[in-house]
């Protein structure tokens, strides 16, 4: 198999047929050796029925149904682990990632790269989604000491050795763009067009986006823990300076109610600081607990045309 095209499917019953048709139109002129993997991620609509209909008449299309909703990046991992292509394309199912860009991604990869990321020039998303994405990537870059690009998402082409490296990572929390950056290899970026959603709306609510951002920051970096050390040192310095101020006021007879202000401020401030630091440590312990259980990132219920 030369080329695999993977797309996680969620709330996409109306566009599965169009997605497959446009992929065929884009890929057939460059190779006959390809497969289309549609990974249904526990969608509440009839996306799996739409995949069944396509798979019945088109053996190039392969369907993978997860036992429940595990999340987009777990679904991508399921597709990667079942793909056979020497080159693997990952794209969203909403057709904002344009299938007609696939030949250009492959041509760029053949210049000597193992990864080619599609770089969205003008994102066709709402203002708040674009703003939240930029804030996330800036924060993520700072807290992980890496360079992240908000114009790059899942869409891209990856060599088999990159795919195998990503699948082999044992991280319980999966975030495909960062994992592909982490594994290394020779990479390039290709500017692409970004379309409006073909149907429906994004399944990522604000709460899901915040949860995704928080989980990935905790999973990929221990910098928040190191920042608490700096915070503790700053608070200790502040306490020393505050003590000097109160000592000065004591000797100059400027304190009218002895002990009240200093005790209340100290108790409130440092209690909050201690709880905050313990909370950060507790979160890391919780994520460690989830990781050491060794549960799979996804469970496959059904497979079609394999």
């Amino acid at each position: 198999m030369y080329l695999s095209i993977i797309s996680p499917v969620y709330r996409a019953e109306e566009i599965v047929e169009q997605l497959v048709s446009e992929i065929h139109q884009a890929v057939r002129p460059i190779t006959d050796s390809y497969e289309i993997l549609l990974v249904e991620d526990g969608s509440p609509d009839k996306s799996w029925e739409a995949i069944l209909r396509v798979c019945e008449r088109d053996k190039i299309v392969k369907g993978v149904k997860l036992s429940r909703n595990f999340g987009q990046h777990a679904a991508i991992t399921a597709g990667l682990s079942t793909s056979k292509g020497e080159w693997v394309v990952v794209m969203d199912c909403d057709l904002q990632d344009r299938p007609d860009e696939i030949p250009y991604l492959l041509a760029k990869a053949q210049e000597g790269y193992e990864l080619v990321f599609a770089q969205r020039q003008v994102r066709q998303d709402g203002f708040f989604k674009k703003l939240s994405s930029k804030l996330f990537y800036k924060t993520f870059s700072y807290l992980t000491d890496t360079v992240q690009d908000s114009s790059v998402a899942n869409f891209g082409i990856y060599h088999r050795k990159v795919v195998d490296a990503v699948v082999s990572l044992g991280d319980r929390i999966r975030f495909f763009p960062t994992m592909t950056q982490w594994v290394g290899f020779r990479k390039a970026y290709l500017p692409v067009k970004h379309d409006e959603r073909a149907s429906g709306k994004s399944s990522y609510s604000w709460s899901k986006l915040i949860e995704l951002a928080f989980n990935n920051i905790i999973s990929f970096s221990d910098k928040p823990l190191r920042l608490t050390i700096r915070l503790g040192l700053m608070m200790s310095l502040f306490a020393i300076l505050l003590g000097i101020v109160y000592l000065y006021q004591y000797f100059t007879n400027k304190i009218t109610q002895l002990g009240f202000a200093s005790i209340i401020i100290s108790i409130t401030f440092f209690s909050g600081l201690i709880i905050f630091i313990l909370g950060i440590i507790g979160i890391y312990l919780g994520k460690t607990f989830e990781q050491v259980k060794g549960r799979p990132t996804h469970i496959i219920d059904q497979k079609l045309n394999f």
Side-chain angles (χ1 to χ4, degrees):
M1 187 69 64
Y2 182 61
L3 185 63
S4 297
I5 300 95
I6 298 170
S7 184
V9 176
Y10 189 81
R11 293 186 183 274
E13 60 175 309
E14 298 178 0
I15 54 176
V16 166
E17 299 263 0
Q18 183 183 352
L19 172 67
V20 171
S21 175
E22 292 192 17
I23 291 175
H24 278 313
Q25 292 176 23
V27 175
R28 275 177 179 156
I30 56 177
T31 180
D32 293 326
S33 179
Y34 68 97
E35 61 180 357
I36 302 172
L37 281 86
L38 303 179
V39 185
E40 196 267 359
D41 184 28
S43 181
D45 62 1
K46 296 182 179 179
S47 293
W48 180 243
E49 286 76 2
I51 294 173
L52 279 170
R53 290 193 296 269
V54 174
C55 288
E56 284 177 359
R57 67 173 184 269
D58 189 346
K59 299 305 178 184
I60 291 178
V61 181
K62 299 179 180 181
V64 176
K65 178 177 174 59
L66 302 187
S67 62
R68 64 171 177 82
N69 176 245
F70 286 90
Q72 181 186 32
H73 299 280
I76 291 174
T77 302
L80 296 175
S81 62
T82 53
S83 66
K84 302 297 181 183
E86 177 187 353
W87 291 96
V88 177
V89 173
V90 176
M91 61 183 299
D92 292 344
C93 68
D94 54 16
L95 291 172
Q96 285 191 285
D97 297 335
R98 296 165 55 102
D100 58 9
E101 298 285 0
I102 293 175
Y104 301 106
L105 290 168
L106 181 60
K108 186 67 176 179
Q110 291 173 337
E111 295 177 9
Y113 302 103
E114 280 91 19
L115 306 89
V116 179
F117 298 104
Q119 200 167 37
R120 299 165 292 184
Q121 293 301 288
V122 181
R123 290 187 58 177
Q124 301 300 317
D125 291 315
F127 171 77
F128 288 107
K129 185 173 182 179
K130 289 189 284 188
L131 177 63
S132 62
S133 178
K134 288 183 179 180
L135 289 174
F136 165 69
Y137 279 104
K138 284 185 179 297
T139 305
F140 194 75
S141 298
Y142 171 71
L143 291 176
T144 58
D145 294 321
T146 59
V147 178
Q148 303 292 332
D149 187 349
S150 62
S151 67
V152 174
N154 302 318
F155 193 26
I157 190 166
Y158 312 92
H159 191 267
R160 170 53 51 183
K161 60 184 178 182
V162 177
V163 171
D164 291 342
V166 170
V167 171
S168 70
L169 297 178
D171 298 52
R172 178 70 180 81
I173 297 173
R174 315 291 292 187
F175 189 56
F176 183 68
T178 306
M179 297 175 90
T180 51
Q181 292 279 1
W182 186 87
V183 296
F185 300 105
R186 288 168 293 179
K187 65 188 68 172
Y189 296 84
L190 183 70
V192 300
K193 295 179 181 178
H194 191 236
D195 276 354
E196 297 278 354
R197 292 180 64 88
S199 176
K201 61 180 182 179
S202 175
S203 59
Y204 279 106
S205 63
W206 273 98
S207 60
K208 287 185 177 180
L209 286 171
I210 292 171
E211 181 182 2
L212 176 69
F214 189 77
N215 283 338
N216 282 288
I217 288 169
I218 296 297
S219 176
F220 284 92
S221 174
D222 65 349
K223 193 170 183 178
L225 282 176
R226 289 184 276 119
L227 287 176
T228 60
I229 297 174
R230 295 184 187 179
L231 182 60
L233 291 174
M234 290 172 61
M235 293 304 100
S236 297
L237 179 60
F238 175 77
I240 292 172
L241 294 175
L242 189 62
I244 293 173
V245 170
Y246 279 129
L247 192 62
Y248 170 78
Q249 290 180 341
Y250 173 76
F251 284 113
T252 56
N253 297 316
K254 292 183 179 180
I255 296 180
T256 57
Q257 189 68 36
L258 296 178
F260 177 79
S262 59
I263 290 174
I264 295 300
I265 292 173
S266 298
I267 290 175
T268 304
F269 186 80
F270 289 105
S271 295
L273 178 62
I274 291 169
I275 292 171
F276 172 76
I277 293 174
L278 288 176
I280 294 291
I281 296 171
I283 290 168
Y284 273 95
L285 286 175
K287 297 303 178 185
T288 302
F289 172 68
E290 291 181 4
Q291 183 73 26
V292 298
K293 285 190 291 188
R295 291 179 179 176
T297 58
H298 61 273
I299 298 173
I300 294 176
D301 180 19
Q302 297 181 49
K303 295 168 72 175
L304 300 174
N305 289 346
F306 280 84

